[in-house]
Amino acid sequence: MRNQKETLWDGTEMKILTPLTGDFFPEEEPEGSMEPLDGRELLPYMESIQEAVDRENSRAGESSVPCNLMEYFQGNVSVKEKVESAVISVEQAEGILYGCAALRLKEPLEAGELQELCEYLTGQYSDGWGEGFEQRDIRVDGGTLNVHFWQAGEMKFQIREAEKNQRALKNDQPPRPEEKSRPKLQLIGHEGNIFSILADAGWLLSRNGQKQEADEMYERVFQSGSYYEALEIISEYVETEVSSAVEKKHQRKQKPGKTPCR
């Protein structure tokens, strides 16, 4: 029998965030009046939107069991075997409300598998789960909302991971933080795709108990402007063959110049 304080789920949870938009129909305006809203403007309605998502998730079966989109996945068998569940919700980050697909993984996804899963989610948002959801009226103060998980044009995905700790705590006090060394990632012989390298680096950090560092690394890489800049960022968080060169580069930037004569 498991200790009650032991986490029942010992795999990894990955969150795939995508932009949200909405249409707000004010009550006191003429019929047909509509205000388009972006993710920042939708944030005040987060609770109402999440309740609507929960209702949508319960339409496919028992209300206590949210809809698992992996039950309808017909793609690569390896993706099906690695992803235990995909449940839709919303999540705020940096003051913006995003659509969120929370995944439970049995094994890490390779770059091609992650890309296939994102394409599947795009289809669900446009013609499946999201098509039905955006037609649901969400009552909020002052009017009605319709929220869109699918966006025209290229969908933008943000990947975030959270390692679930299997350790059984002996008491309610959190453990003292420990200094952790950087995990090693060998680039030689690795697939050159930056998303593959990023996924492996994030997995190593999460396995090392460095979830915060993994999230920070993902955020910086997705904001980087080139392959080499992204590779340098990854090499700050995990030890690669180029890490020493990156450290020397930063040291040169931080080296103080000569003090001018006065």
Side-chain angles (χ1 to χ4, degrees):
M1 183 176 179
R2 288 177 179 264
N3 186 306
Q4 289 184 350
K5 294 194 178 291
E6 185 177 358
T7 304
L8 297 179
W9 168 251
D10 57 6
T12 296
E13 181 179 285
M14 173 184 286
K15 295 181 179 180
I16 301 181
L17 305 186
T18 51
L20 282 181
T21 57
D23 301 325
F24 178 67
F25 300 89
E27 286 180 343
E28 299 181 358
E29 297 294 330
E31 185 176 353
S33 298
M34 184 272 287
E35 299 174 14
L37 303 179
D38 59 20
R40 195 176 299 277
E41 295 164 322
L42 285 172
L43 186 58
Y45 306 108
M46 177 176 178
E47 184 175 348
S48 297
I49 296 172
Q50 182 60 60
E51 290 175 355
V53 169
D54 291 340
R55 288 194 295 272
E56 191 69 25
N57 280 335
S58 68
R59 292 178 189 275
E62 301 176 21
S63 59
S64 60
V65 181
C67 175
N68 176 9
L69 293 184
M70 293 308 296
E71 294 180 0
Y72 311 101
F73 181 79
Q74 300 295 325
N76 195 312
V77 174
S78 66
V79 177
K80 183 78 170 179
E81 291 175 345
K82 291 181 179 182
V83 184
E84 181 175 283
S85 64
V87 177
I88 305 304
S89 64
V90 294
E91 182 160 315
Q92 74 91 16
E94 294 84 40
I96 300 174
L97 190 64
Y98 291 92
C100 175
L103 313 179
R104 280 190 168 186
L105 304 179
K106 299 176 182 178
E107 298 179 51
L109 293 168
E110 296 180 2
E113 294 169 334
L114 181 57
Q115 180 179 352
E116 181 177 355
L117 187 60
C118 288
E119 291 174 355
Y120 170 65
L121 289 173
T122 300
Q124 279 286 347
Y125 290 160
S126 63
D127 300 318
W129 188 96
E131 182 182 21
F133 180 76
E134 68 180 1
Q135 299 177 42
R136 316 294 183 196
D137 291 340
I138 303 172
R139 295 291 302 169
V140 295
D141 290 342
T144 303
L145 267 179
N146 294 115
V147 176
H148 313 289
F149 276 73
W150 180 78
Q151 311 302 325
E154 184 179 359
M155 289 282 287
K156 297 181 179 179
F157 297 89
Q158 294 186 39
I159 312 299
R160 310 214 171 180
E161 293 187 64
E163 180 82 0
K164 298 298 182 179
N165 198 334
Q166 189 181 6
R167 183 187 61 250
L169 299 179
K170 295 182 179 179
N171 51 53
D172 292 333
Q173 297 299 320
R176 295 180 61 182
E178 299 178 358
E179 189 71 24
K180 294 183 174 64
S181 60
R182 287 186 299 173
K184 295 182 179 181
L185 175 62
Q186 182 174 332
L187 296 178
I188 297 176
H190 198 291
E191 181 185 350
N193 187 302
I194 194 64
F195 293 105
S196 175
I197 297 172
L198 178 63
D200 286 351
W203 179 259
L204 287 172
L205 287 169
S206 295
R207 295 275 295 184
N208 202 39
Q210 295 172 284
K211 172 193 175 300
Q212 184 175 351
E213 288 84 350
D215 286 345
E216 182 180 290
M217 177 186 66
Y218 276 114
E219 191 73 25
R220 291 181 61 196
V221 166
F222 279 109
Q223 293 176 0
S224 64
S226 70
Y227 175 92
Y228 295 103
E229 182 183 353
L231 191 60
E232 286 188 357
I233 292 171
I234 293 171
S235 298
E236 292 178 27
Y237 292 87
V238 298
E239 188 175 341
T240 72
E241 293 89 330
V242 301
S243 292
S244 58
V246 173
E247 290 171 0
K248 289 179 181 178
K249 179 179 178 180
H250 285 299
Q251 288 172 0
R252 287 196 297 270
K253 286 183 178 180
Q254 295 172 2
K255 186 177 180 179
K258 294 182 179 180
T259 303
C261 297
R262 295 182 181 276

